[in-house]
Structures are given as C-alpha cells and as structure tokens.
Amino acid sequence: MTAPATGQAANIPILMYHHLADLPENASELQQTWTVAPKNFEAQMNWLSQSGYHTITMAQLVAHLKRQHPLPVNPIVITFDDGWAEQYTIAFPILQRLGLIGTFFVYTTPIDRNSYLSWTQLSEMSNAAMDIQAHSLTHPHLRTLAPEEAFKEIAESKRILEKRLGKPVVAFNYPFGEYDNAVIDLVKRAGFESAVSLAAGYKQRQNELFVLHRIRVSYLDTLEDFAKRLPQ
Ligand SMILES: [Zn+2]
C-alpha cells in the first residue's frame, strides 16, 4: 500500500469485536450491539481471507502512519476488546486457521478470572503472533479520575503486559471510548504511540493517531452489511 503524505488519510479499516456468542431471541439491543455470533464471525473472517485482505498489527499501523513504512495491499486490523474468554476459544482458532492476526485489547485486573482470558492463554496467543495491547487496569471512566489515578490505569497496564508477554505495547484503547485532551496527554506520556476510539470509519490519519477510527461489527449485520463498510 502506498504511504500517505502527512495529513492524508490512509484506508485502513480497524474492525471492532467484543463478545462472540449465540444470543437468545429476546436479547436486548445492547447485547446485540456488542456481540457477534460465532458462525457469523467465521463467515466474516473467511470473507476477508478470500477477498485479499491482509491483517496487520497496531505497531505496523503506527509505523505506516508515522514513518510511512510500507504495508501489504488491503491492510486491515481486527480488534477484540476487554479480554473475554471466547476470544481465545472461538476467535483464536479461526484466526490461526486462516493465518490472520488479531489485536486483543485487554484490561489487566480481571485476567485469570472466570469468563476472561488467562495469562496462559494470552501467552499462547502472543507466541502465535497475535497482537496484545492495553485497555487499562480496571476499565474505569478515565475522565472522572484524578490525573495521577488515570495515569496509573494507563501506564501500569502497558507495563504489566510488556513484563508478562515480553513484547512492546504501543496502542491504548480508551475504556467506554471516553477520552479528552487531558486523557490523550496521559496516554502519550505513558509512552503509547497510538490509541483506538469508537469513532466510526476506516480512514486513518497521522494527526489522529490517538483517535483512530474503528468499524463496529454487530449481531444483526449480514455479510453484505459487513463488506459494505470496508473500502471498495
Ligand atoms: Zn472495553
């Protein structure tokens, strides 16, 4: 992919997943917003693979936007939030079978607890070239915290993941998608090179490295809906 000039947009979709599960008929709109059925997820991954998309890591995305490092054609980032256990049991095997990289934004406090990923699983995923990035310690509302508390949530999550997994953590994911200029400054001060938001779209810009856009995939999306949101 051709490198963008400064300020120009690069077409790099960042997909966003949370839960992977089958929902009951009477599931709430909220549940449907943050869940994708395993069968649909698999169909989406098969489609990406067959359509010539190439998954990249957050570090590759940063290197491209900051330093114009070349990317494969049709680059895409596949992100998973919050470290739910099914991201290992359901997503990881599908990604591995297709040779795709997933980026997993985990918050560290619930790791090893019921229904969350374990450190053993995270190590296995990291060793299998999956991209593990930071999503705070406890998933707080960062804007409501005192600056030193917010900084600890941001910086410590990076330090813990780097220590446990032995790989650089370059991207932060704002809990609840909540940020302001003060939070962005703390994320920069903690040494992150980028951050993802809930802003929609696939155009990424160097001057928006700390507010990268993502595409949410939801329960009722058909494969056609999914494909339509990507660069044509
Ligand atoms: Zn989250």
Side-chain angles (χ1 to χ4, degrees):
M1 183 184 184
T2 314
T6 306
Q8 268 190 347
N11 289 343
I12 308 176
I14 305 177
L15 297 176
M16 170 173 55
Y17 293 94
H18 286 73
H19 284 288
L20 299 166
D22 289 310
L23 292 176
E25 289 278 320
N26 61 354
S28 68
E29 205 181 316
L30 200 66
Q31 283 177 297
Q32 291 181 346
T33 300
W34 304 111
T35 308
V36 171
K39 269 211 171 71
N40 289 351
F41 175 76
E42 185 160 26
Q44 289 156 8
M45 294 303 108
N46 282 332
W47 186 88
L48 288 178
S49 179
Q50 286 159 12
S51 304
Y53 280 90
H54 295 96
T55 46
I56 60 169
T57 62
M58 288 305 299
Q60 283 179 288
L61 172 59
V62 167
H64 181 71
L65 291 179
K66 278 175 92 162
R67 298 182 286 277
Q68 278 108 53
H69 272 224
L71 291 180
V73 291
N74 299 326
I76 192 165
V77 182
I78 306 173
T79 69
F80 301 85
D81 285 16
D82 299 337
W84 301 111
E86 68 262 27
Q87 294 172 2
Y88 174 85
T89 54
I90 292 169
F92 179 46
I94 293 169
L95 295 170
Q96 274 202 304
R97 177 171 63 73
L98 294 169
L100 301 173
I101 298 165
T103 295
F104 297 82
F105 284 99
V106 297
Y107 62 108
T108 52
T109 304
I111 294 173
D112 278 341
R113 286 190 199 154
N114 203 10
S115 80
Y116 287 91
L117 295 169
S118 68
W119 280 116
T120 308
Q121 290 167 338
L122 282 167
S123 291
E124 185 187 337
M125 292 159 79
S126 178
N127 290 336
M130 296 294 140
D131 187 23
I132 315 295
Q133 301 291 332
H135 194 30
S136 80
L137 298 175
T138 67
H139 210 282
H141 294 276
L142 285 172
R143 288 176 304 182
T144 67
L145 297 182
E148 62 272 22
E149 274 305 301
F151 183 72
K152 187 182 163 199
E153 285 277 349
I154 295 163
E156 277 291 288
S157 64
K158 174 172 157 68
R159 190 191 65 78
I160 290 169
L161 287 170
E162 288 180 338
K163 187 167 174 232
R164 295 290 297 240
L165 302 174
K167 290 185 183 175
V169 169
V170 300
F172 188 71
N173 179 338
Y174 305 108
F176 308 102
E178 294 173 359
Y179 64 90
D180 55 19
N181 285 336
V183 169
I184 291 176
D185 284 346
L186 295 175
V187 171
K188 288 179 180 172
R189 180 144 67 85
F192 287 97
E193 296 189 78
S194 65
V196 295
S197 70
L198 299 179
Y202 57 71
K203 299 229 177 258
Q204 317 295 354
R205 294 173 175 83
Q206 187 185 36
N207 60 2
E208 292 178 335
L209 266 168
F210 289 85
V211 197
L212 293 170
H213 295 207
R214 291 197 291 173
I215 298 168
R216 188 176 66 208
V217 190
S218 295
Y219 201 76
L220 299 178
D221 291 341
T222 64
L223 195 56
E224 198 184 6
D225 296 331
F226 174 82
K228 268 191 192 154
R229 281 194 218 122
L230 301 174
Q232 304 300 311

